[in-house]
């Protein structure tokens, strides 16, 4: 059974810091891994999608890496801003049944 | 990017009534749509996978007679919460998967904005 874990559960940093969010999954049989952002009471916004054959994806200040063999992914946020405050969710598309399995998320707060 | 809409965005209803939530993929055809439920400060829990033209596949523990799913077309799926009760109050999010580059199931999953249901 695929399980996705995100560490830390919550994180508070001062503005301008670079930070790393971690995601681990138990079964390496995945098609892809996706990072999402969710603002309070809102839906999900896709940030980055990494296919299983890829090692990383970049978008602006965000960089996501994938190490499928070790079951790990990281989301790197450079020069954090208060507007980055949100919950960040990691999700893997498992080959078993084409289901997307979500982690519990990391709640990020960036202080001005 | 691709857009998925949900309607309504929020609904308040009396216990015992049924509520229908619509999910539409606006600029792509989605052969597969997903319905999730999210409790406060918790992650998304997959309720069911909906394939166009066929019956939905429900996750373990989800009552199919309680949560009726219809995937009538390649751009529309509906979730009906039948005889809603206060414990059904939650945030319901739908998702549509765009076809992968090879036409397979590995395409990006796009999410709707969610529907907040409050059952009194």
């Amino acid at each position: 059974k695929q399980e996705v874990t995100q560490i830390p559960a919550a994180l508070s940093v001062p503005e301008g810091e670079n930070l790393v969010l971690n995601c681990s999954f138990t079964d390496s049989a995945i098609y892809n891994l996706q990072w999402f952002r969710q603002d309070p009471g809102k839906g999900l916004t896709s940030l980055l999608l990494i296919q299983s054959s890829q090692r990383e994806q970049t978008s602006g200040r965000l960089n996501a890496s994938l190490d499928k063999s070790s079951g790990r992914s990281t989301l790197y946020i450079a020069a954090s801003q208060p507007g980055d405050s949100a919950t960040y969710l990691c999700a893997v598309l498992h080959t078993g049944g084409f289901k997307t399995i979500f982690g519990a998320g990391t709640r990020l707060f960036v202080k001005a | 990017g691709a857009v998925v809409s949900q309607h309504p965005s929020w609904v308040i209803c009396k216990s015992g009534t049924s509520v229908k939530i619509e999910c539409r993929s606006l600029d792509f055809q989605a052969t597969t749509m997903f319905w999730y439920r999210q409790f406060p400060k918790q992650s998304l829990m997959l309720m069911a996978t909906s394939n166009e033209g066929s019956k939905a596949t429900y996750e373990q523990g989800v009552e199919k007679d309680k949560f009726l799913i219809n995937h009538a077309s390649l751009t529309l799926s509906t979730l009906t919460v039948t005889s809603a009760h206060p414990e059904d109050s939650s945030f319901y999010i739908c998702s549509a998967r765009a076809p992968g580059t090879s036409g397979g199931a590995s395409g990006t999953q796009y999410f709707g904005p969610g529907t907040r249901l409050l059952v009194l």
Side-chain angles (χ1 to χ4, degrees):
Chain A
K1 178 184 175 185
Q2 177 72 275
E3 294 182 1
V4 181
T5 304
Q6 290 187 245
I7 295 174
L11 182 63
S12 180
V13 300
E15 182 177 8
E17 270 204 8
N18 302 323
L19 56 100
V20 175
L21 307 182
N22 296 290
C23 172
S24 61
F25 45 96
T26 56
D27 191 337
S28 61
I30 65 171
Y31 279 115
N32 59 46
L33 182 145
Q34 221 168 332
W35 282 93
F36 296 89
R37 168 185 174 139
Q38 185 177 31
D39 293 289
K42 303 292 185 181
L44 276 67
T45 300
S46 178
L47 298 174
L48 290 165
L49 169 72
I50 311 176
Q51 299 293 351
S52 63
S53 59
Q54 298 175 324
R55 299 284 293 184
E56 66 176 346
Q57 284 287 330
T58 297
S59 176
R61 293 183 293 108
L62 305 179
N63 175 274
S65 68
L66 173 64
D67 185 342
K68 199 173 74 164
S69 61
S70 67
R72 295 177 186 273
S73 175
T74 61
L75 178 66
Y76 175 82
I77 302 177
S80 58
Q81 303 171 357
D84 295 330
S85 299
T87 295
Y88 290 81
L89 295 164
C90 163
V92 298
L93 176 56
H94 192 216
T95 57
F98 300 108
K99 296 178 183 179
T100 296
I101 309 298
F102 281 83
T106 293
R107 292 191 301 280
L108 173 66
F109 179 63
V110 181
K111 297 171 286 186
Chain B
V3 177
V4 175
S5 70
Q6 274 184 249
H7 178 79
S9 57
W10 61 270
V11 58
I12 302 174
C13 69
K14 293 182 179 180
S15 183
T17 60
S18 294
V19 175
K20 179 185 284 188
I21 303 170
E22 289 187 351
C23 176
R24 294 180 185 272
S25 57
L26 297 184
D27 50 2
F28 67 98
Q29 293 185 329
T31 54
T32 305
M33 289 185 171
F34 306 87
W35 286 96
Y36 294 84
R37 183 175 183 176
Q38 186 179 35
F39 292 105
K41 297 187 178 180
Q42 294 187 27
S43 191
L44 279 69
M45 181 194 77
L46 179 64
M47 298 174 66
T49 301
S50 168
N51 292 296
E52 188 265 340
S54 63
K55 291 183 179 180
T57 302
Y58 290 82
E59 294 301 299
Q60 191 172 10
V62 178
E63 300 175 61
K64 59 182 67 177
D65 294 331
K66 173 77 170 174
F67 300 99
L68 300 178
I69 293 173
N70 183 281
H71 196 150
S73 73
L74 288 173
T75 59
L76 173 64
S77 177
T78 61
L79 168 68
T80 301
V81 183
T82 62
S83 186
H85 291 284
E87 58 265 30
D88 298 324
S89 299
S90 188
F91 192 49
Y92 293 88
I93 302 178
C94 78
S95 170
R97 177 174 291 149
T101 52
S102 59
S106 59
T108 301
Q109 200 165 336
Y110 297 95
F111 286 78
T115 297
R116 190 163 301 281
L117 170 64
L118 176 61
V119 184
L120 302 176

